[in-house]
Amino acid sequence: KMTGYTREELIGKSALDFISTKDRSSIVKDINKIYTEKQDIPLTYAFIAKDGSASTIEVSSTLLHDTNGNSSGFIAVIRNNSN
């Protein structure tokens, strides 16, 4: 609902496709920081919906590890902070 896109339209898209261009370099740096510092960091970005409207989102993520303890990805929960 938040994006305005259908499930089919989202297939093959990168999460960066929905982040404001002014925030894209920040999100890449923040993701690298999550991997290198191995800690969860609350993040805030401008999200762009299909209709072009922007809303503020908060991203809470947790680093995932494989059976050897190596970083293998992360899972994120996104909350719309706009009112």
Side-chain angles (χ1 to χ4, degrees), residues 16 19-28 30 44-47:
L16 291 176
I19 301 298
S20 168
T21 54
K22 70 178 181 68
D23 287 342
R24 287 185 189 167
S25 62
S26 295
I27 197 169
V28 171
D30 291 339
T44 304
Y45 304 107
F47 175 87

Side-chain angles (χ1 to χ4, degrees), residues 34-50:
I34 290 168
Y35 276 104
T36 57
E37 296 184 13
K38 302 188 184 327
Q39 60 181 326
D40 303 338
I41 307 165
L43 309 167
T44 304
Y45 304 107
F47 175 87
I48 307 301
K50 184 177 181 177

Side-chain angles (χ1 to χ4, degrees), residues 1 3 8 13 18 20 22 26 28-32 35 37-39 43 45 51-52 59 61-62 65 76 82-83:
K1 290 182 180 183
T3 67
E8 291 77 21
K13 298 277 188 187
F18 307 103
S20 168
K22 70 178 181 68
S26 295
V28 171
K29 288 177 190 172
D30 291 339
I31 290 169
N32 287 330
Y35 276 104
E37 296 184 13
K38 302 188 184 327
Q39 60 181 326
L43 309 167
Y45 304 107
D51 66 3
V59 181
S61 60
T62 299
H65 300 89
S82 297
N83 289 325

